[in-house]
Amino acid sequence: MDCMRKLRQFFTVQKIPGELDDGLETLDEYRMRWRSVRIIYFTMFLMSLGFSIILTGIWPFLNKLDPAANKEFMGLIVAANPLGQMIFSPLFGWWSNKLGTIRLPLLSSLALFTIASAMYSSLELKPHDVKYWMLTSRFLIGVSSANIAVCRSYLSAATRLSERTKAVSMVSLAQVLGFIVGPGLQALVTLLGSEGHTWLWGFFIFNMYTACGWINVLMSTGNFIMFLPAIFQERNVAAREIMIIKGKSSEQETWKSIKPDYVSAWTLIVAFFVLVFNFVLLETLGTSLTMDQFAWSNDEAIYYMGIIMSTGAVIALVTFVCINPLCRIFPENLVLIWGGFALMVLGRILYIPWGDAPPKIAEVYNVTIPITGNATTDLKPDNEIFLGCPRTQQWCTVTPALTLTQFVLGYVLTSIGYPIGVTLIQTIFSKILGPRPQGVWMGLMTGSGCLSRVMGPVFVGSIYTRLGTNWTFGFTSVMMFFSMIWLLLSRKRLISPRLDIPDPVELQTLDKNVCINSQFALSDSDMKDFKDVKNASKNNLNPEGTELLSSQKSFNILTAATKA
């Protein structure tokens, strides 16, 4: 018990950091605010995990449940999740803005997430038209994950300007780790095998495919508890911070006084679409691509892709740690362009095949397959002759194969470029919008990412299946390159808006006598406050205007003195 108490004390903030200790909030308020932010981190991780944990196993699982299903239907199942999220993200953002709280939208979405995950794990019971039940469960999970827009909006409201880059880096880390750790968990549960264990008279089946859904159920139940009033308390600090800087009397007046740059906002929304499209395309295509190019079996593809993606998670973790220090040395917009998009362009180019011969060609499984003459032999789908690039994909016989080296190198560059890009797009976006309620705008940002996740799987089912690797990665390379050029041309607009504040230099000519002669008399007490504010202006306000004056009262004195 004593050890638990000491451990709790170790992780408890003992005092507000010096640069933030300006009287805007108490220590208890600071602690509650950051506890709520960390719960948001976990929620973002879980929503990403709910999408990615089934990616590497969905094709083998679908084949097991319905061998007649094809890759195009698999693409629809994967796309169902982001489609639900895309439709409902702006609605969830509007709902939270309307209520003025995020608790009810988040509790409702987590309850739906739990039910839909349990539905996915019950598909082994094989209801009629099982593949459509799988499609429905993935769509409902997508609807529940529309709460990401609400989470992003709250993060912008619950962090100060000086904290924003670090906080968005952490929430982006949580989201990307959810995308990458999911396949690692799927690889881990392959030890259960495809048959697994059956309990409760055959109504509870726990195997390498259903385990993923039950993991989601367990984690979402814990996440639901975190948002109960006894644990989660909403704290809005961003609007109050800008209100004091701008000298406004209310939060609404503050955000109405700052007009966002809509061209920059929509530029970042489009850039977010392109970035997520390329990342999700690789995740969605990864398993089937390696099975086609390297003749891996279902189990081998899940296992090796799990290892590769888990390694990518470690690389992403290191990258996220480096983002904040990098942005202290270089401007955020340049780090976004050269550290994020440039590496993603190189990563896509690397996937254009290097091989000097086509990949191994696989026969098409059709229960029985002619081997010689009139003889037919019953073979299992995992027989060696069915491994490789399917003969039905005509490009397989003429297109050079990818090499494992280029596949790994491209994935490493993606694991570095994507975290940088997705973090800084969201950071710059939230700063451009200012302290206004961002639920709907974050819904649009989330919706653009969802649209890319809808199109990615469809792209796999159409462009990749019909035209092959050259067209797939040639097209995405061009897409990334032109996006990078557009960001480079727009770089001067991709900066935080300057907060106009009184110039402290003008105050150096003011003293008590000047104030009296200007028909603006101050009491001795107010004059003392005035001098304190003048000193604070000289010492604490940087050119970006991101530090606060000590109080609203002293700022009003400063403003009145300047006018006089």
Side-chain angles (χ1 to χ4, degrees):
M1 201 69 179
D2 188 54
C3 291
M4 290 297 296
R5 183 177 56 81
K6 290 181 178 179
L7 186 64
R8 183 181 298 176
Q9 288 179 345
F10 177 78
F11 285 105
T12 301
V13 178
Q14 300 301 322
K15 64 177 182 177
I16 300 176
E19 66 274 13
L20 301 178
D21 191 9
D22 49 23
L24 188 63
E25 58 185 344
T26 66
L27 178 59
D28 286 340
E29 289 173 336
Y30 179 82
R31 287 171 177 168
M32 286 188 293
R33 178 165 67 87
W34 274 99
R35 181 169 63 189
S36 70
V37 168
R38 293 184 181 101
I39 292 174
I40 293 297
Y41 292 166
F42 181 79
T43 305
M44 293 286 278
F45 170 80
L46 178 61
M47 293 301 105
S48 297
L49 185 74
F51 172 72
S52 69
I53 196 170
I54 58 93
L55 279 184
T56 56
I58 195 169
W59 175 238
F61 192 29
L62 182 61
N63 265 335
K64 179 183 178 182
L65 296 173
D66 186 353
N70 54 31
K71 284 182 181 177
E72 292 191 12
F73 195 85
M74 183 270 290
L76 293 176
I77 291 174
V78 176
N81 180 298
L83 177 63
Q85 190 179 5
M86 179 183 68
I87 294 171
F88 283 87
S89 287
L91 296 178
F92 267 77
W94 173 84
W95 187 20
S96 66
N97 282 355
K98 189 75 173 177
L99 293 175
T101 176
I102 68 170
R103 192 188 311 278
L104 183 58
L106 285 171
L107 288 175
S108 302
S109 63
L110 287 169
L112 179 61
F113 183 88
T114 304
I115 294 170
S117 297
M119 182 190 299
Y120 179 84
S121 289
S122 301
L123 292 174
E124 281 278 15
L125 300 177
K126 294 191 176 179
H128 183 64
D129 290 329
V130 64
K131 65 181 182 180
Y132 294 106
W133 281 100
M134 180 182 284
L135 183 70
T136 302
S137 69
R138 296 307 299 168
F139 179 80
L140 291 177
I141 289 176
V143 172
S144 66
S145 61
N147 62 19
I148 286 178
V150 179
C151 291
R152 286 176 176 157
S153 175
Y154 177 73
L155 190 71
S156 298
T159 54
R160 302 169 80 161
L161 287 171
S162 58
E163 300 170 324
R164 191 74 48 80
T165 300
K166 180 181 178 181
V168 175
S169 296
M170 292 303 298
V171 82
S172 299
L173 170 62
Q175 193 172 10
V176 172
L177 286 180
F179 278 123
I180 300 176
V181 169
L185 288 176
Q186 173 70 86
L188 184 64
V189 298
T190 54
L191 299 174
L192 295 170
S194 60
E195 299 302 321
H197 306 279
T198 302
W199 297 307
L200 298 178
W201 304 282
F203 287 97
F204 186 89
I205 301 173
F206 193 75
N207 58 33
M208 61 185 286
Y209 303 120
T210 63
C212 296
W214 295 124
I215 290 172
N216 283 339
V217 168
L218 180 63
M219 296 179 72
S220 60
T221 302
N223 200 186
F224 185 94
I225 294 172
M226 291 177 189
F227 280 103
L228 296 178
I231 300 175
F232 182 86
Q233 296 186 27
E234 296 181 50
R235 306 297 305 176
N236 188 335
V237 72
R240 285 192 294 144
E241 177 189 32
I242 307 299
M243 182 180 73
I244 294 176
I245 292 177
K246 297 284 289 183
K248 301 297 181 181
S249 58
S250 68
E251 294 180 5
Q252 188 176 22
E253 182 185 358
T254 302
W255 62 259
K256 282 186 175 180
S257 69
I258 302 176
K259 300 297 181 183
D261 184 341
Y262 293 109
V263 174
S264 299
W266 281 106
T267 294
L268 291 170
I269 288 174
V270 173
F272 191 72
F273 164 81
V274 173
L275 193 69
V276 177
F277 176 86
N278 278 269
F279 180 75
V280 174
L281 172 66
L282 181 58
E283 273 214 323
T284 306
L285 187 59
T287 304
S288 55
L289 177 67
T290 54
M291 292 173 70
D292 287 352
Q293 298 295 313
F294 310 133
W296 287 349
S297 66
N298 286 343
D299 291 348
E300 287 175 332
I302 292 174
Y303 178 73
Y304 291 127
M305 280 302 297
I307 292 175
I308 291 172
M309 289 183 170
S310 297
T311 303
V314 175
I315 296 172
L317 175 62
V318 175
T319 302
F320 277 113
V321 172
C322 296
I323 290 175
N324 203 39
L326 273 175
C327 291
R328 291 177 182 174
I329 301 172
F330 305 103
E332 289 178 343
N333 55 347
L334 296 184
V335 176
L336 168 65
I337 295 167
W338 298 110
F341 273 73
L343 292 181
M344 288 290 287
V345 170
L346 291 176
R348 296 292 73 75
I349 293 175
L350 276 173
Y351 278 125
I352 297 174
W354 291 355
D356 54 4
K360 178 182 177 295
I361 304 301
E363 299 294 341
V364 180
Y365 178 73
N366 189 25
V367 185
T368 59
I369 182 169
I371 300 298
T372 57
N374 295 324
T376 60
T377 306
D378 291 336
L379 298 172
K380 294 183 178 180
D382 59 355
N383 189 281
E384 187 177 349
I385 69 170
F386 300 121
L387 301 181
C389 204
R391 190 177 296 278
T392 52
Q393 296 176 174
Q394 297 180 3
W395 57 268
C396 291
T397 59
V398 295
T399 305
L402 272 76
T403 65
L404 185 58
T405 300
Q406 71 177 121
F407 182 84
V408 172
L409 285 176
Y411 197 85
V412 168
L413 290 176
T414 300
S415 299
I416 298 172
Y418 180 75
I420 294 174
V422 76
T423 297
L424 293 182
I425 284 176
Q426 293 177 75
T427 301
I428 298 171
F429 186 69
S430 69
K431 291 181 178 180
I432 285 174
L433 293 177
R436 62 187 19 83
Q438 297 182 6
V440 175
W441 276 103
M442 287 299 177
L444 293 173
M445 172 69 80
T446 303
S448 73
C450 296
L451 178 61
S452 66
R453 288 164 56 200
V454 171
M455 293 182 64
V458 174
F459 200 84
V460 173
S462 54
I463 304 299
Y464 172 76
T465 303
R466 290 179 171 82
L467 300 177
T469 49
N470 280 333
W471 276 91
T472 299
F473 296 110
F475 177 80
T476 53
S477 297
V478 171
M479 176 193 291
M480 284 298 307
F481 176 75
F482 279 105
S483 299
M484 187 185 78
I485 295 300
W486 176 250
L487 287 176
L488 196 59
L489 295 175
S490 307
R491 65 187 182 279
K492 292 183 180 180
R493 306 184 73 134
L494 303 180
I495 56 176
S496 307
R498 183 182 176 88
L499 300 176
D500 296 325
I501 55 176
D503 189 351
V505 175
E506 296 178 4
L507 301 178
Q508 294 175 357
T509 61
L510 296 176
D511 58 28
K512 187 172 182 179
N513 294 329
V514 171
C515 291
I516 294 174
N517 293 336
S518 302
Q519 297 180 346
F520 181 78
L522 299 177
S523 66
D524 290 340
S525 175
D526 286 343
M527 179 56 67
K528 181 178 182 301
D529 287 340
F530 172 77
K531 290 179 178 178
D532 289 341
V533 172
K534 183 170 70 172
N535 292 332
S537 300
K538 258 192 285 187
N539 298 330
N540 295 334
L541 287 176
N542 61 28
E544 296 298 328
T546 59
E547 300 295 331
L548 301 178
L549 297 176
S550 59
S551 68
Q552 180 67 51
K553 176 185 175 183
S554 57
F555 188 89
N556 289 339
I557 293 173
L558 184 148
T559 305
T562 304
K563 289 180 179 178

